[in-house]
Amino acid sequence: MDELYRDQILEHYKRPHNFGVVEAADLEYEDTNPFCGDEQHVTIKLGEDDRVAEVAFEGKGCAISTAATSLLTDELVGMTRDELLRLPKEYVLELLGIDISATRMKCAMLGLKIVKSAALGKPAEWEDEGEAGNPAEAAAF
Amino acid sequence: MTVTAGAFPIERVREQFPLLEREINGTPVAYLDSGASSQRVLASIEAVDDYERRHHSNVHRGSHTLSGEATEAYEGARGIVARHIGATDPREVIFVRNATEALNLVARAWGDANVGAGDRILLTEMEHHSNVVPWQQLAERVGAAVDWAPIDDDGLLDLDALRALLERGPKVLAITHVSNVLGTENPLAEISAMAHDAGALVVADGAQGAPKQPLDVAALGVDFYTITGHKLYAPTGIGALWGRLDLLRAMPPFLGGGSMIRKVTREGTTYADVPARFEAGTPAIAQAIGMGAAIAWLDAELGMEAVRDHERAIADHTLARLPEVPGLKIFGPPPGPERLGPVSFEIDGIHAHDVSEILDRHGVAVRAGHHCAQVLMERLGVAATARASFGVYTTTEEIDRLVDGLEDARRVFGL
């Protein structure tokens, strides 16, 4: 089996979960990977308890960015905005379950960055490369 | 090595590029990313080394021996560049960091003085960001408008549309010589004549064009032409702006500082003549010498006619073989006189990043992404492409390895 392009990754790439747009979304954000121009658009509907009730994403991306956001959006229902902001990058890496090289880290983190930006309502000041990132700082906004 | 008609001396050329001995993932590198940055030729590496070890000093400053030697080598490099591009006067060659800086220099120094509110700036859809952003910034500063000359579905510039846009009377047409995505060579001589008839100056981005063919700026008819060293088998941090002497002399300085002055007093400064006026501060001396050495090697050992024939042969081979890969789409014109490298493509069902990642496992280096040409990407309707780009050392066997790697990518993705 391929180390990087495991069946699970390819499955999420070819048939991403939660692909589309949530109608009448409460939170949404669109961003690009400046390295390659890939775009993702995340829409989130909150329930009466202010927790994520529905989430969807759309866009064009590579296997890694698409699978990462597909896997991530599977996990978000029931989370508060604060919990979204506290998600560390390791959360996505564990979902992916593969080694991500430095050159592909921006691909893997694109969806998480957009989810955080949607929760903040503005671009998340969040370093997605190198260090683990500091979700507490992001949450302090 | 000598200039020979017929067979390109590919083996002897490859011996001049030490990096090609590198292995990537256990196989010799097939470096198909020269459009991003070429590898360094030994003549350039050795010229830089010799300069750093034996001749370094600052230029244009001292009367001691070393300063004299450094100045002679630096100005010698200017002369090599001037001869290579057909400039009649070496003063028309300004050393800059790269083509991007050259284009910024023109947009600032010429643009601010000559483009005003309500004026128009004409760009093409195939421009690299380096020939887009400085003009957008100029338009924003002075209140000018930007027009975009379209390409046709083959990736060729639509000359009728260009002519119509020129009738709007732009002050300047900024255009690439060769597209860094499509491999399209624009007919600059014809285009320059059209632009001049309409009263527009022509600023040509030669970052991709200069390494691929003989140059004669007078024959091209352009007013400014830019080159960058690191795509010409020379170091990073050095490039050149060529401009018509009368235009350069009428332009105010870009950066202020040492070397670019005639006299500085408490009340103000008078500026040096060109090229010094545009070379503020200590320049990239070693890199300029390295660029001169690389260009001298190209001219003496290969000749740019042979370089162009090789580029076209590799592009033709790539264009012939890539369609063997199912689901592969090529962007850019079919083989022909206006088609050079690079060759950009996408494969249905595999993103360009993943293509590049899998090719790397085979030691094949290509670029994946938007290639700093997002206006063109939008026109092509893609976010990213994979791109194979070539150099004087590129072989048809390396292209065959590219095709094999793409077959493997399809296998990995279960296609």
Side-chain angles (χ1 to χ4, degrees):
Chain A
M1 187 176 68
D2 198 278
E3 280 295 307
L4 182 63
Y5 298 108
R6 294 184 179 178
D7 289 347
Q8 183 206 24
I9 301 295
L10 292 179
E11 184 57 32
H12 277 270
Y13 172 56
K14 291 176 180 175
R15 281 170 285 276
H17 299 184
N18 314 303
F19 199 79
V21 181
V22 173
E23 293 298 319
D26 298 297
L27 306 174
E28 76 167 309
Y29 205 78
E30 186 174 73
D31 208 347
T32 60
N33 178 347
F35 175 57
C36 64
D38 284 353
E39 278 183 1
Q40 285 182 355
H41 175 219
V42 170
T43 43
I44 295 172
K45 185 152 186 65
L46 299 175
E48 284 177 8
D49 54 358
D50 268 352
R51 290 175 183 272
V52 175
E54 257 188 282
V55 56
F57 82 103
E58 60 177 354
K60 278 184 185 174
C62 63
I64 304 303
S65 69
T66 304
T69 309
S70 174
L71 286 157
L72 175 65
T73 49
D74 270 349
E75 306 296 326
L76 300 184
V77 171
M79 289 189 187
T80 64
R81 287 171 71 168
D82 190 52
E83 284 168 340
L84 295 180
L85 291 172
R86 288 176 189 282
L87 288 173
K89 83 179 214 180
E90 285 75 14
Y91 188 78
V92 174
L93 294 178
E94 278 173 30
L95 290 172
L96 284 167
I98 50 178
D99 283 338
I100 297 293
S101 66
T103 55
R104 299 306 290 273
M105 196 56 78
K106 279 192 189 297
C107 311
M109 293 301 137
L110 180 62
L112 180 57
K113 190 174 183 188
I114 295 172
V115 165
K116 285 172 181 284
S117 300
L120 274 172
K122 63 179 182 180
E125 292 283 332
W126 180 66
E127 186 48 60
D128 55 1
E129 232 179 12
E131 297 166 35
N134 186 347
E137 264 179 38
F141 275 96
Chain B
M1 222 178 339
T2 52
V3 180
T4 50
F8 191 76
I10 187 69
E11 288 308 323
R12 284 179 294 167
V13 168
R14 290 179 66 84
E15 285 167 8
Q16 299 301 310
F17 289 86
L19 187 130
L20 300 179
E21 293 165 19
R22 261 298 298 273
E23 293 198 343
I24 306 288
N25 295 321
T27 50
V29 63
Y31 188 74
L32 301 179
D33 198 20
S34 296
S37 196
S38 67
Q39 295 303 336
R40 310 289 183 259
V41 67
L42 203 51
S44 178
I45 295 169
E46 287 175 347
V48 172
D49 186 75
D50 180 59
Y51 168 76
E52 299 283 28
R53 288 173 189 274
R54 295 174 37 82
H55 305 290
H56 173 66
S57 179
N58 214 329
V59 292
H60 302 136
R61 277 165 176 81
S63 55
H64 58 77
T65 299
L66 289 176
S67 180
E69 289 177 8
T71 303
E72 197 175 321
Y74 180 72
E75 292 303 325
R78 194 190 309 278
I80 291 169
V81 172
R83 281 192 295 280
H84 180 80
I85 65 175
T88 50
D89 189 330
R91 290 176 299 173
E92 295 179 326
V93 174
I94 316 287
F95 281 131
V96 291
R97 273 192 304 152
N98 44 41
T100 296
E101 184 174 296
L103 293 163
N104 275 274
L105 193 164
V106 178
R108 279 273 176 188
W110 179 84
D112 281 1
N114 292 283
V115 180
D119 285 341
R120 308 196 82 84
I121 297 165
L122 182 52
L123 311 178
T124 85
E125 286 180 339
M126 66 170 86
E127 296 312 308
H128 187 282
H129 293 166
S130 62
N131 207 19
V132 172
V133 181
W135 301 112
Q136 290 178 326
Q137 290 176 313
L138 169 63
E140 206 163 289
R141 281 197 303 278
V142 303
V146 173
D147 293 319
W148 295 89
I151 59 169
D152 65 20
D153 289 340
D154 269 348
L156 297 169
L157 198 61
D158 181 338
L159 295 183
D160 291 332
L162 179 72
R163 190 173 287 112
L165 286 165
L166 282 167
E167 281 169 15
R168 294 186 184 183
K171 289 279 178 140
V172 58
L173 166 65
I175 180 169
T176 191
H177 193 181
V178 173
S179 163
N180 73 313
V181 174
L182 304 167
T184 307
E185 180 182 349
N186 288 314
L188 282 188
E190 182 185 349
I191 289 169
S192 294
M194 281 165 53
H196 288 159
D197 283 349
L201 285 197
V202 178
V203 181
D205 172 5
Q208 297 289 330
K212 299 180 194 295
Q213 60 197 313
L215 285 177
D216 180 345
V217 287
L220 292 176
V222 297
D223 299 289
F224 294 96
Y225 193 93
T226 69
I227 68 174
T228 192
H230 74 100
K231 298 191 206 293
L232 269 163
Y233 314 107
T236 52
I238 189 69
L241 168 69
W242 173 85
R244 269 172 38 205
L245 193 62
D246 58 321
L247 288 171
L248 291 172
R249 281 191 151 157
M251 280 157 55
F254 174 43
L255 300 173
S259 295
M260 51 76 73
I261 55 99
R262 180 165 283 129
K263 186 175 176 64
V264 179
T265 67
R266 291 165 200 241
E267 288 72 37
T269 297
T270 52
Y271 303 119
D273 195 1
V274 297
R277 185 188 307 166
F278 297 108
E279 295 183 6
T282 297
I285 306 167
Q287 290 77 3
I289 291 166
M291 180 164 74
I295 290 173
W297 176 82
L298 283 169
D299 288 338
E301 302 295 336
L302 295 175
M304 294 308 287
E305 297 282 355
V307 169
R308 178 169 56 193
D309 292 346
H310 179 69
E311 170 81 17
R312 181 157 292 137
I314 296 293
D316 286 353
H317 184 74
T318 309
L319 293 168
R321 288 236 44 207
L322 282 183
E324 294 171 23
V325 180
L328 187 144
K329 179 181 178 189
I330 292 173
F331 299 98
E338 61 288 298
R339 180 57 143 114
L340 297 166
V343 177
S344 293
F345 57 92
E346 67 172 358
I347 298 180
D348 193 26
I350 318 179
H351 188 277
H353 265 190
D354 300 311
V355 168
S356 165
E357 173 108 27
I358 292 169
L359 289 174
D360 188 60
R361 299 173 179 181
H362 298 266
V364 178
V366 301
R367 182 167 172 190
H370 55 60
H371 314 294
C372 301
Q374 288 186 308
V375 171
L376 178 58
M377 293 289 120
E378 189 198 7
R379 167 66 177 82
L380 299 174
V382 293
T385 73
R387 180 187 75 174
S389 55
F390 319 124
V392 291
Y393 36 68
T394 307
T395 66
T396 53
E397 290 77 17
E398 289 176 318
I399 303 304
D400 297 339
R401 284 176 58 194
L402 166 68
V403 173
D404 292 345
L406 294 174
E407 297 286 4
D408 187 46
R410 295 190 74 250
R411 185 190 59 77
V412 168
F413 273 69
L415 298 172

